[in-house]
């Protein structure tokens, strides 16, 4: 893959000036980013990992990380600063209701949505955690209910449906377990789709075609494949460096590493942030995104859930917005890239799953996973009744 910045490349330009090389030491990582890689120039050299001594916490405060960590997965009651007490739940309800004037409930606006979808084919994109399965303390136990599974299964019978998750593709497939869907893991950096119908850009070097277990031709697209060894290295370093902090969980999601602090005492959040910050200083080709009580480290390539949606629409031959209505349902910051693509291209609808008001690029909202299920069931019923007309 051409890793220089360019129209066809998903890789961003070198984020660090060439004179800021890593102490002039050569790295074992150079071997897999050979050629013209922006990240394999001097700026990409790595020092062998050494244990980080937590540095100045000013770094994480100044960069706004701590604020973002505190506001991710916000509490259900809003503290009232003036009175020093929490707002009552009826106050929060009123705030939520007024927020839904801007982002109406997709259930309440169902007729409007289906009116717009008339004569079009709906394509569904579903996030996993917080959308199909409720948020739980242990990421390994984020199971979806059987009812939700069969709802997703029937939705997929009527509409092309893809899961787009921050988890590794294999892991999210294990949780969902439905072979009839398309899957994009690692925030869209690992897409298993149909054999491509058309594609506006040349991704040939990142694409592998093969037949799946059912003999169906599939297309595996991994725009960040060169980063796997680096991600492994960072994963191991973070497991090692955070082991003294109780409650931290580090997850290897193949093309990204998730550092969970949901079960960490709030007093230690800054230490978690500092350790991640220190790692990122050593790996200029990686960057941070925030999720729900999770810090996510991923390659700096210009690829995200929004690009994955576009890619899948192309691959499925569904990119003509005159005849296709894509709907994306998701709950966290990384889903905003997909909402943005749909809104800015006037292409389809984003639906934010949130029980608290949030700034979003979505058009509609749903409170929680049970409303997501109701919405999916309504789509199936609507489709079935339209077929009977
Ligand atoms: O894109 P998603 O499918 O929403 O995945 C985003 C991250 O979800 C998982 O973490 C979140 O859910 C956990 C289980 O409910 C919860 O414990 C954690 O606090 C949340 O951040 C997953 O573990 C991550 O790897 C995903 O990136």
């Amino acid at each position: 893959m051409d890793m220089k910045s360019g129209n066809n490349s998903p890789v961003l330009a070198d984020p660090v000036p060439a004179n800021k090389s890593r102490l002039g030491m050569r790295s074992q990582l150079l071997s897999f980013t050979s050629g013209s890689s922006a990240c394999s120039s001097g700026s990409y050299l790595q020092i062998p990992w050494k244990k980080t001594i937590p540095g100045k916490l000013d770094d994480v405060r100044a960069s706004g990380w701590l604020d973002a960590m505190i506001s991710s997965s916000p509490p259900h009651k809003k503290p009232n600063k003036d009175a020093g007490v929490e707002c009552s739940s009826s106050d929060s309800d009123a705030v939520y209701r007024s927020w839904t004037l801007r982002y109406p409930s997709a259930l309440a606006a169902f007729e409007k949505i289906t009116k717009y979808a008339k004569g079009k084919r709906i394509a569904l994109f579903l996030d996993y955690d917080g959308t199909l399965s409720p948020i739980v303390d242990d990421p390994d136990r984020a199971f979806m209910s059987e009812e939700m599974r069969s709802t997703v299964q029937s939705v997929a019978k009527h509409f092309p449906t893809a899961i787009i998750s921050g988890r590794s593709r294999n892991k999210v497939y294990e949780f969902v377990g439905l072979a009839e869907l398309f899957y994009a893991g690692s925030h869209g950096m690992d897409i298993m789709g149909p054999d491509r119908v058309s594609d506006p850009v040349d991704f040939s070097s990142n694409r592998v075609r093969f037949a799946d277990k059912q003999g169906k031709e599939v297309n595996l697209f991994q725009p960040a494949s060169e980063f796997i060894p680096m991600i492994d290295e960072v994963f191991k370093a973070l497991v090692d460096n955070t082991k003294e902090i109780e409650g931290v969980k580090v997850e290897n999601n193949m093309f990204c590493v998730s550092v969970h602090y949901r079960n960490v005492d709030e007093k230690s959040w800054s230490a978690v942030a500092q350790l991640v910050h220190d790692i990122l200083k050593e790996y200029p080709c990686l960057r941070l995104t925030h999720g729900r009580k999770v810090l996510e480290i991923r390659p700096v390539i210009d690829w995200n859930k929004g690009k994955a949606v576009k890619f899948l629409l192309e691959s499925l031959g569904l990119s003509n917005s005159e005849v296709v209505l894509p709907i994306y349902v998701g709950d966290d910051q990384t889903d905003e890239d997909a909402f943005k693509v749909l809104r800015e291209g006037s292409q389809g609808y984003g639906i934010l799953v949130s029980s608290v008001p949030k700034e979003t690029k979505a058009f509609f909202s749903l409170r929680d996973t049970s409303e997501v299920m109701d919405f999916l069931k309504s789509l199936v019923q609507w489709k079935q009744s339209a077929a009977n007309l």
Side-chain angles (χ1 to χ4, degrees):
M1 177 172 85
D2 174 12
M3 290 188 62
K4 277 188 184 140
S5 157
N7 286 344
N8 289 347
S9 169
V11 179
L12 289 172
D14 191 346
V16 175
N19 60 1
K20 284 203 174 175
S21 65
R22 306 263 143 247
L23 307 176
M25 293 174 77
R26 288 202 67 80
S27 163
Q28 68 270 36
L29 295 172
L30 274 176
S31 53
F32 65 90
T33 53
S34 58
S36 59
S37 163
C39 282
S40 68
S41 64
S43 63
Y44 190 68
L45 302 177
Q46 299 293 321
I47 52 171
W49 182 254
K50 65 177 183 331
K51 193 158 174 100
T52 303
I53 298 154
K56 291 180 282 148
L57 294 180
D58 296 353
D59 281 353
V60 290
R61 288 207 182 97
S63 60
W65 283 28
L66 271 186
D67 291 340
M69 286 170 81
I70 291 160
S71 64
S72 83
S73 232
H76 292 265
K77 287 184 178 173
K78 191 170 153 278
N80 177 333
K81 283 188 204 133
D82 299 333
V85 292
E86 290 193 336
C87 292
S88 70
S89 69
S90 63
D91 287 343
S92 324
D93 285 351
V95 173
Y96 189 84
R97 274 198 307 277
S98 82
W99 178 73
T100 58
L101 297 176
R102 284 171 68 202
Y103 306 104
S105 158
L107 289 170
F110 192 75
E111 241 178 83
K112 193 173 161 190
I113 295 173
T114 48
K115 204 167 155 194
Y116 190 70
K118 207 155 182 219
K120 296 190 179 192
R121 198 157 172 217
I122 289 180
L124 265 181
F125 296 92
L126 305 169
D127 167 57
Y128 183 72
D129 289 279
T131 298
L132 297 181
S133 70
I135 293 293
V136 293
D137 284 347
D138 181 356
D140 295 336
R141 303 196 58 78
F143 305 117
M144 68 199 279
S145 67
E146 276 313 315
E147 193 180 359
M148 180 66 100
R149 182 169 295 103
S150 71
T151 305
V152 173
Q153 188 166 34
S154 50
V155 113
K157 279 190 191 127
H158 298 284
F159 312 101
T161 303
I163 305 287
I164 305 206
S165 173
R167 290 181 183 264
S168 71
R169 184 169 47 79
N170 286 343
K171 226 183 280 176
V172 75
Y173 180 76
E174 273 171 32
F175 276 112
V176 178
L178 298 170
E180 52 272 60
L181 310 183
F182 302 107
Y183 289 86
S186 309
H187 298 292
M189 287 179 280
D190 187 7
I191 304 180
M192 175 85 90
D195 196 19
R196 198 176 56 161
V197 173
S198 63
D199 194 338
V201 286
D202 176 22
F203 290 119
S204 48
S205 56
N206 299 102
R207 213 181 56 236
V208 183
R209 279 198 178 99
F210 61 93
D212 70 5
K213 284 182 194 145
Q214 288 86 37
K216 193 171 63 187
E217 282 288 306
V218 289
N219 195 358
L220 185 63
F221 176 62
Q222 299 179 329
S225 46
E226 287 89 345
F227 287 86
I228 292 176
M230 187 191 278
I231 291 291
D232 278 347
E233 187 175 296
V234 165
F235 167 71
K236 285 183 194 131
L238 278 166
V239 168
D240 194 39
N241 287 354
T242 57
K243 66 178 179 234
E244 312 277 291
I245 305 177
E246 205 184 318
V248 173
K249 181 171 174 81
V250 186
E251 219 186 335
N252 188 340
N253 280 324
M254 194 162 179
F255 297 101
C256 46
V257 179
S258 301
V259 182
H260 294 273
Y261 56 92
R262 179 170 295 280
N263 303 317
V264 174
D265 188 307
E266 205 166 327
K267 287 194 210 97
S268 302
W269 287 7
S270 50
V272 176
Q274 190 61 50
L275 286 166
V276 173
H277 195 276
D278 291 345
I279 287 258
L280 283 180
K281 276 201 278 190
E282 301 302 333
Y283 292 85
C285 289
L286 300 178
R287 68 183 173 105
L288 177 88
T289 52
H290 292 269
R292 298 182 69 170
K293 295 214 176 3
V294 65
L295 298 173
E296 308 212 76
I297 297 161
R298 51 154 110 180
V300 290
I301 66 164
D302 183 17
W303 196 263
N304 53 42
K305 289 182 171 184
K307 300 247 167 157
V309 166
K310 274 182 155 179
F311 182 89
L312 274 163
L313 285 170
E314 286 289 342
S315 309
L316 293 160
L318 297 172
S319 57
N320 181 353
S321 55
E322 304 278 301
V323 289
V324 177
L325 178 70
I327 295 180
Y328 186 105
V329 192
D331 73 312
D332 97 27
Q333 196 54 41
T334 61
D335 299 309
E336 290 294 329
D337 293 316
F339 298 153
K340 194 164 169 234
V341 159
L342 297 185
R343 182 183 276 270
E344 289 176 359
S346 301
Q347 224 180 338
Y349 293 134
I351 301 178
L352 175 68
V353 185
S354 180
S355 58
V356 290
K358 276 185 194 168
E359 256 326 299
T360 180
K361 292 272 182 198
F363 266 94
F364 298 106
S365 61
L366 289 168
R367 262 186 195 268
D368 50 29
T369 53
S370 96
E371 287 201 356
V372 171
M373 190 161 69
D374 291 345
F375 176 74
L376 298 179
K377 283 180 178 170
S378 305
L379 278 178
V380 172
Q381 275 163 15
W382 167 74
K383 186 74 185 180
Q384 285 169 339
S385 57
N388 294 332
L389 284 182

